[in-house]
Amino acid sequence: MKLKQIFSLSLIAMLIFMMTACSNSTDETSSKQEEQPKAAEEVKDLILATTTSTQDSGLLDVLIPMFEEESNTNVQPIAVGTGQALEMGKKGEADVLLVHAPDSEQELVDSGDAINRKRVMYNDFILVGPANDPAGIKGMEVGEAFQKLFNDGAVFISRGDDSGTHKKELDIWKSLELTPGDNTSYAETGQGMGNTLQVAAEKQGYVITDRATYLAQKESLDLEILVEGDEDLLNIYHVMQINPEKHDKVFSEGAEKFVDFMINEETQKVIEEFGQEEYGEPLFFPYTE
């Protein structure tokens, strides 16, 4: 066989070997790619602006993990007064709100900043104070009690933070045509409900509070419920999402899912049972529309 023929045959054999090797390598690579799991779905952050009462009561510690598990969402709760939460919504700094100041909430809906507002739950406000009740208001109607506290110059501790509780307190003073600051024993903490209750206990003063936070902290407080059950003391919570058509940076899909989650049957059952075992009564009652 001539040298030229031998060289040609060798070259052909080499090309066949290289093509076979490349084919095997491609098949192995393709097989490995098929075996690799798909990338995990991206977990997005959902900013929830809410009240200190939902945090101080411990309710969020139960509900948020439930929602995160079923929605692949990381909830970032910001617990402030309702006024601050609503302002965050107005600026598009939150995705969803859980608050309790119906009149102010409606203003946010009317302005187009919030949509999909749903009623979630309720409890009530109560007026608590020292066990010896120096002002003698136990059992009075709320307006009568506030008038007596003002007339007696009793120590009254206010949140003073534009929260839903503070708004309710101011509404009561306004209905009586009284300026609470005219009482020299009136003081504002500018803090959440839990801290304000502690200040009231230290100063042996009177304070209006939501029932849930009071029950959650009752063991550390030397304060008793003195006025309750008044129709004007109903405390209703709503959830709503921030309007993506007005605030295009919000996580609209997550916010809508959170609204649906808060009013679904399973969540409402959890709300209904929350606190019963530990406090002997629920801290909130389901109140869906």
Side-chain angles (χ1 to χ4, degrees):
M1 185 178 291
K2 294 181 179 180
L3 182 61
K4 186 175 181 180
Q5 290 176 317
I6 294 173
F7 178 76
S8 297
L9 290 173
S10 298
L11 182 59
I12 292 171
M14 184 179 295
L15 287 172
I16 293 172
F17 174 78
M18 291 177 64
M19 289 174 66
T20 302
C22 287
S23 175
N24 290 338
S25 176
T26 301
D27 290 343
E28 288 177 8
T29 301
S30 177
S31 176
K32 287 180 180 180
Q33 287 177 342
E34 290 176 1
E35 291 174 3
Q36 288 184 2
K38 294 181 180 179
E41 184 180 348
E42 181 185 0
V43 178
K44 292 186 177 182
D45 291 336
L46 179 74
I47 300 175
L48 166 65
T50 186
T51 72
T52 59
S53 58
T54 57
Q55 183 180 61
D56 292 344
S57 66
L59 181 63
L60 289 184
D61 295 334
V62 175
L63 296 184
I64 286 179
M66 289 174 55
F67 176 73
E68 289 180 329
E69 183 176 355
E70 71 176 48
S71 66
N72 196 37
T73 302
N74 178 43
V75 179
Q76 296 185 347
I78 301 177
V80 290
T82 286
Q84 291 175 266
L86 292 170
E87 188 63 24
M88 288 180 65
K90 187 176 181 180
K91 295 178 179 178
E93 296 174 347
D95 302 307
V96 65
L97 309 180
L98 178 60
V99 288
H100 63 140
D103 291 343
S104 298
E105 296 164 19
Q106 188 59 50
E107 291 177 6
L108 201 68
V109 173
D110 292 342
S111 70
D113 289 294
I115 58 173
N116 198 20
R117 177 173 176 249
K118 301 292 184 181
R119 191 167 53 188
V120 175
M121 60 190 183
Y122 73 95
N123 57 15
D124 62 344
F125 294 108
I126 52 179
L127 188 56
V128 303
N132 64 345
D133 186 20
I137 65 167
K138 187 175 179 63
M140 289 183 176
E141 293 185 354
V142 64
E144 183 183 9
F146 267 59
Q147 183 72 61
K148 185 75 161 52
L149 292 172
F150 183 85
N151 293 344
D152 289 6
V155 176
F156 193 104
I157 307 300
S158 169
R159 285 181 60 164
D161 63 349
D162 197 33
S163 61
T165 307
H166 184 223
K167 289 176 184 293
K168 171 58 68 174
E169 178 211 323
L170 294 181
D171 285 344
I172 297 171
W173 292 122
K174 184 178 180 180
S175 70
L176 298 170
E177 299 182 348
L178 296 174
T179 303
D182 289 344
N183 171 12
T184 57
S185 297
Y186 180 88
E188 295 181 338
T189 65
Q191 300 181 50
M193 196 69 256
N195 289 338
T196 299
L197 279 167
Q198 293 294 334
V199 172
E202 292 169 6
K203 295 183 176 296
Q204 284 294 279
Y206 296 86
V207 59
I208 186 170
T209 175
D210 66 284
R211 187 182 294 269
T213 308
Y214 170 75
L215 290 176
Q217 299 198 11
K218 182 180 178 181
E219 294 303 316
S220 65
L221 302 171
D222 185 19
L223 299 172
E224 291 189 2
I225 299 175
L226 301 174
V227 176
E228 62 180 327
D230 196 304
E231 186 177 344
D232 290 338
L233 295 178
L234 188 64
N235 182 26
I236 302 173
Y237 290 78
H238 288 86
V239 64
M240 68 195 81
Q241 63 182 103
I242 301 307
N243 189 353
E245 293 185 2
K246 193 167 183 179
H247 303 282
D248 58 5
K249 302 297 183 183
V250 300
F251 180 20
S252 178
E253 181 183 353
E256 184 175 2
K257 285 182 179 179
F258 188 82
V259 171
D260 291 341
F261 166 79
M262 289 300 296
I263 62 175
N264 73 35
E265 186 175 347
E266 181 182 356
T267 305
Q268 289 286 293
K269 184 67 174 177
V270 172
I271 291 171
E272 184 178 19
E273 296 176 352
F274 180 72
Q276 287 192 19
E277 183 175 347
E278 186 171 357
Y279 305 109
E281 60 181 289
L283 301 194
F284 302 92
F285 298 90
Y287 202 175
T288 53
E289 295 174 325

